[in-house]
Amino acid sequence: MQLWFIISLVFAILIAVFALQNSASVLINFLFTEVEVSQALVIFISALVGAIIVALLGMVRHRKMSKTIKDQNIEIERLKKDCTRLDRKKQELNNNEIKEVDSENMTNNNEKY
């Protein structure tokens, strides 16, 4: 996380230096208007809009990942319950099998005598 912050900070400084070195007035044509503004202002606004778009896309991605993690945790809990239930069933079957074998042995022993 700190690495991305440092990279972002360096990038912001580079944009600021670039904008300040290119501060001449420029004519901007947008839709039906023409405006003369500082080129530095255009660069700053463009960088700001780009940062906002990246932040919004990051938030969408984060929400999708959070939902996926939540769904996977629910699935994990369901599978744990199934595993516990199956372990109990296995133990119950093993106990019944042992009882049957013991019962057969006792019957065989009684028949011998």
Side-chain angles (χ1 to χ4, degrees):
M1 188 68 171
Q2 281 185 336
L3 178 63
W4 286 113
F5 178 74
I6 292 170
I7 291 171
S8 299
L9 190 60
V10 168
F11 187 68
I13 291 170
L14 290 174
I15 289 173
V17 169
F18 178 76
L20 291 175
Q21 288 179 346
N22 295 286
S23 61
S25 291
V26 292
L27 185 62
I28 303 293
N29 294 319
F30 185 69
L31 297 177
F32 304 109
T33 62
E34 288 183 358
V35 179
E36 190 170 327
V37 294
S38 168
Q39 190 174 7
L41 185 60
V42 173
I43 293 169
F44 283 131
I45 290 172
S46 298
L48 181 63
V49 169
I52 290 170
I53 290 170
V54 168
L56 290 174
L57 292 175
M59 287 172 38
V60 169
R61 182 173 172 248
H62 178 73
R63 284 185 184 245
K64 284 182 181 179
M65 288 175 59
S66 293
K67 184 184 180 323
T68 300
I69 289 170
K70 181 181 176 184
D71 291 345
Q72 288 176 345
N73 283 335
I74 290 170
E75 180 69 9
I76 287 169
E77 289 304 314
R78 187 188 67 76
L79 291 172
K80 282 181 180 178
K81 287 178 184 177
D82 283 351
C83 186
T84 302
R85 182 182 56 81
L86 291 171
D87 281 343
R88 285 187 198 137
K89 184 77 169 177
K90 177 182 160 188
Q91 187 65 35
E92 183 181 306
L93 290 173
N94 284 340
N95 288 343
N96 287 341
E97 199 173 280
I98 290 171
K99 286 178 184 177
E100 287 175 8
V101 169
D102 285 346
S103 172
E104 285 177 14
N105 287 340
M106 290 181 90
T107 304
N108 289 340
N109 285 340
N110 287 341
E111 288 177 2
K112 287 181 184 179
Y113 295 112

